[in-house]
Amino acid sequence: MSLIEDLIEKLQWLPGIGKKTAQRLAFFLQKMDVGRIKELTDAILKARLELKECSICHNLGETDPCEICSSPNRNRDMICVVEQPADVMVIEKIGEYKGLYHILHGVISPIDNIGPEDLKIESLIARVKEQNVSEVIVATNPTTEGDVTALYIARLLKPLNIKVTRIARGLPTGSDLGLADTTTILRAFEGRNEL
Amino acid sequence: MILQAIEYEGFRNLINSRLTFCNTLNVITGNNGAGKTNLLEAIFFAAYCTSFRTNDDRNMVKFNEPYMRVTAISEDTTATVFYNGTKRMVINGNEKSRLSEYIGWLPCVVMSFNDIWMIKGAPAKRRNFLDWLLIKIYPAYGSHLTEYRKILRQRNTILQQKKYHASLLQVYNDQFIQHGNLIYAHRRKIVPILKEKIGIVSKDLGLDGISFEYLSSCPDMMITSNDLKKVEPLEIQRGETIIGPHRDDFTINIGGRPAKQYASQGECRILALLLKLIEREVIRQKMNQEPIYLIDEATLELDHFRRKRFFELIEGQIFFATVQEFDELNFRNKKRFVIKEGLIAVS
């Protein structure tokens, strides 16, 4: 295998990179400054080696426990459950939520061979039991898998007498009712609030 | 609804072209394999973004072509479906992200030689008929069905696991009931209409004693947690979900006896057409529109009287693919197309 073929094949290890994209990237890299390439590969390696999974919330960070879990300014009786570390970044960007997180690293999907035991659900239950948590907000994605995962977690937490909530789903802000699809409108009606 | 013109690129064996149609009868003749059905399929694709023959969109792209595109034009709508691995749909310049926002602009009734399997074949063929009818009149039904099937697959996987997960199954049961009942709610709306229409349309065709009966795997077309609990041991043993809309069926009865077992070949043929004429009645009633008709050799095996009656009954715009023309096609206005190796010419 030639050097370029080898590179193209390895680039395809990354998610979302098919053959075409891999080819484009490989030839782009050939034109790139060697110093820049070194910066890139160093960053990849450094992140991979030095990022730690937080032993409390399973988020990725430079310290264990992570910055959020060890912060004195966070509200410790609230836990927001999300699918992926990227979801934490999205919610943190808004800056409104002051509680803690718990990252599942996936959703339940039996056809993909992912059961509850493959996710960080057990540690969530243990956490809730140990800490004095008053509310668990489940913010998994509004997909069938996300819904099932949310309901499963709710079932496990219910005997502990803890308030379990699910983030609302409905219409995007600034949009028009006429442009929304029926399922979204239906959900928006189900999740209506009193004014 | 009148389809005025169609434009296609990279579609099956058809040579890229633009055709304009007449408002009444459009006859497409050609030898076997010339591409008659492909033209009907292209029209259907512009209406519903999918095929009535294949589940894999890739099959519709011409060999060695990177993409396909079909644009259909009616009096007030220009709609394009584009496919190159992913699909894009545009109506009057507005891109639609969901299928349910796109479909419905051009209601079609397809009548094909293979429709006979709705009468003689497996229950899946009949469910497919019901589901498509519901998608045509309630586009959101399609996404409910997709969700339901996803839950079903997940639930079946759990039932197949050696050490099945009891509390997870509970969650899937709740979801299954919720999504299954959404499907049932739609089917409950349509069944009485079908029962009513079958009486009227069968008389129009000169048939007597025809009735429609929905065969539900759940009492009263509704899943309850009790029903599900009762069959759970059996489901775990068999590793699949044995009740729900995906296990239902319907039967057409002649004189109280199911056509599937008792009807002759010719009777099955006319009953298949009957179902399609009922579909047409439902579309007319629910959408307040005359659908267009894509007819692919569906009148073969009919006697002269029935064939004549059939063409008298249809009032809308017809696209008729046939190897050979026959007397009943002598409409006052018609446009004839001849297709040879994918090239379509007006004759």
Side-chain angles (χ1 to χ4, degrees):
Chain A
M1 194 187 290
S2 74
L3 284 173
I4 194 79
E5 278 171 343
D6 186 49
L7 176 59
I8 289 170
E9 199 186 288
K10 291 200 163 77
L11 282 169
Q12 291 181 64
W13 291 351
L14 300 170
I17 308 282
K19 198 169 177 189
K20 275 259 164 68
T21 315
Q23 278 172 0
R24 221 178 67 216
L25 289 175
F27 288 109
F28 179 82
L29 288 168
Q30 292 319 299
K31 296 200 190 100
M32 234 170 121
D33 182 65
V34 177
R36 298 271 287 172
I37 293 189
K38 193 147 182 350
E39 258 179 68
L40 175 65
T41 50
D42 283 351
I44 294 172
L45 201 62
K46 198 159 181 238
R48 174 65 186 88
L49 292 175
E50 290 179 19
L51 278 182
K52 299 179 181 77
E53 187 179 309
C54 173
S55 54
I56 302 169
C57 73
H58 307 288
N59 196 5
L60 296 176
E62 286 160 43
T63 53
D64 178 19
C66 71
E67 224 176 289
I68 295 173
C69 286
S70 46
S71 163
N73 300 326
R74 306 294 298 209
N75 179 352
R76 313 211 139 254
D77 58 6
M78 248 191 198
I79 296 179
C80 176
V81 179
V82 295
E83 290 180 21
Q84 301 295 348
D87 302 330
V88 175
M89 289 167 73
V90 174
I91 300 172
E92 280 300 288
K93 226 185 212 163
I94 312 161
E96 277 299 312
Y97 176 70
K98 293 293 176 211
L100 302 173
Y101 291 95
H102 192 89
I103 293 89
L104 297 172
H105 290 275
V107 275
I108 298 173
S109 179
I111 29 179
D112 301 311
N113 224 343
I114 304 169
E117 56 289 341
D118 300 306
L119 306 173
K120 309 290 181 193
I121 291 180
E122 220 168 287
S123 65
L124 170 68
I125 309 300
R127 241 180 118 182
V128 171
K129 276 182 184 160
E130 277 163 31
Q131 290 176 26
N132 222 346
V133 175
S134 66
E135 182 176 352
V136 172
I137 306 164
V138 188
T140 50
N141 289 328
T143 57
T144 48
E145 289 81 13
D147 284 345
V148 163
T149 309
L151 289 166
Y152 181 75
I153 290 171
R155 272 183 80 90
L156 295 181
L157 290 176
K158 220 161 231 170
L160 305 176
N161 259 333
I162 283 162
K163 187 173 166 192
V164 184
T165 54
R166 176 102 171 93
I167 51 164
R169 53 207 299 184
L171 301 164
T173 317
S175 78
D176 191 306
L177 257 188
L179 295 175
D181 62 286
T182 42
T183 320
T184 306
I185 295 176
L186 213 71
R187 290 288 150 76
F189 265 88
E190 282 168 9
R192 67 189 183 275
N193 293 318
E194 204 175 309
L195 294 173
Chain B
M1 177 61 69
I2 298 292
L3 178 64
Q4 294 179 331
I6 193 164
E7 234 176 69
Y8 44 82
E9 271 184 89
F11 196 90
R12 296 245 191 210
N13 82 331
L14 301 180
I15 292 166
N16 299 353
S17 180
R18 180 193 166 98
L19 303 175
T20 53
F21 300 117
C22 95
N23 292 354
T24 48
L25 175 67
N26 297 276
V27 182
I28 305 121
T29 53
N31 292 333
N32 296 334
K36 300 185 292 293
T37 309
N38 294 350
L39 178 62
L40 300 186
E41 190 182 28
I43 296 172
F44 188 85
F45 185 68
Y48 295 108
C49 299
T50 183
S51 165
F52 54 79
R53 304 201 268 183
T54 173
N55 288 326
D56 190 345
D57 293 322
R58 282 173 299 187
N59 294 341
M60 284 184 282
V61 185
K62 187 181 285 182
F63 186 66
N64 266 342
E65 289 285 326
Y67 70 91
M68 65 178 167
R69 173 184 71 88
V70 180
T71 299
I73 298 141
S74 75
E75 199 177 40
D76 54 4
T77 308
T78 300
T80 297
V81 187
F82 175 91
Y83 176 84
N84 65 347
T86 44
K87 229 176 272 179
R88 288 177 60 197
M89 304 155 271
V90 180
I91 289 191
N92 290 337
N94 297 317
E95 182 142 2
K96 303 290 177 186
S97 55
R98 281 172 182 260
L99 214 54
S100 56
E101 297 167 24
Y102 179 88
I103 63 177
W105 78 273
L106 179 65
C108 300
V109 174
V110 181
M111 301 177 176
S112 139
F113 192 69
N114 293 324
D115 287 346
I116 196 160
W117 296 106
M118 291 193 304
I119 308 297
K120 293 167 67 163
K125 302 272 178 204
R126 287 179 287 280
R127 284 194 296 270
N128 193 44
F129 168 76
L130 280 183
D131 286 338
W132 259 108
L133 177 54
L134 284 162
I135 289 169
K136 286 174 183 177
I137 57 174
Y138 310 112
Y141 180 81
S143 44
H144 298 326
L145 199 61
T146 311
E147 292 280 287
Y148 173 75
R149 288 180 178 152
K150 219 193 278 179
I151 298 278
L152 184 67
R153 278 209 310 277
Q154 299 278 24
R155 185 173 187 269
N156 284 345
T157 312
I158 294 181
L159 291 169
Q160 282 152 22
Q161 283 163 357
K162 277 206 189 74
K163 237 188 85 201
Y164 85 98
H165 204 299
S167 53
L168 189 55
L169 184 63
Q170 278 302 316
V171 173
Y172 273 106
N173 286 353
D174 293 345
Q175 290 279 294
F176 176 75
I177 291 168
Q178 191 192 331
H179 285 84
N181 280 336
L182 202 53
I183 300 293
Y184 269 139
H186 285 84
R187 290 201 189 162
R188 276 200 307 270
K189 274 193 273 188
I190 199 83
V191 167
I193 303 175
L194 293 174
K195 282 186 173 171
E196 179 206 326
K197 300 280 180 207
I198 203 166
I200 303 165
V201 181
S202 60
K203 286 209 176 63
D204 285 342
L205 280 172
L207 295 164
D208 264 330
I210 310 282
S211 61
F212 176 98
E213 193 185 343
Y214 188 87
L215 308 169
S216 178
S217 59
C218 298
D220 303 321
M221 297 179 75
M222 180 129 75
I223 318 173
T224 64
S225 48
N226 260 343
D227 298 333
L228 213 51
K229 194 139 270 148
K230 259 184 253 166
V231 294
E232 201 174 286
L234 194 60
E235 289 192 322
I236 290 164
Q237 191 191 331
R238 296 186 21 193
E240 60 175 350
T241 305
I242 60 173
I243 58 170
H246 69 292
R247 297 298 286 250
D248 293 358
D249 194 359
F250 68 79
T251 171
I252 304 293
N253 296 326
I254 309 184
R257 299 202 299 181
K260 190 181 175 181
Q261 276 101 39
Y262 295 98
S264 72
Q265 177 80 3
E267 280 176 316
C268 287
R269 181 68 60 203
I270 192 81
L271 290 176
L273 277 181
L274 172 67
L275 279 179
K276 289 302 172 85
L277 288 172
I278 294 167
E279 174 176 334
R280 163 217 201 196
E281 289 300 322
V282 175
I283 290 174
R284 285 165 86 168
Q285 181 180 325
K286 290 280 171 190
M287 304 182 77
N288 259 324
Q289 274 194 58
E290 183 72 41
I292 65 167
Y293 300 90
L294 307 175
I295 308 179
D296 192 7
E297 301 283 21
T299 59
L300 284 180
E301 296 181 337
L302 288 192
D303 57 45
H304 180 72
F305 164 77
R306 290 260 161 73
R307 199 145 74 177
K308 191 157 166 283
R309 192 76 198 102
F310 173 73
F311 283 102
E312 284 165 3
L313 283 174
I314 294 185
E315 283 155 13
Q317 191 187 21
I318 302 175
F319 298 84
F320 193 92
T322 182
V323 174
Q324 223 171 5
E325 286 197 52
F326 42 83
D327 291 347
E328 290 84 351
L329 295 176
N330 284 330
F331 279 43
R332 244 179 309 158
N333 288 312
K334 74 171 164 185
K335 194 162 179 179
R336 296 162 73 197
F337 299 87
V338 176
I339 180 163
K340 202 173 173 186
E341 285 169 22
L343 183 68
I344 303 179
V346 180
S347 81

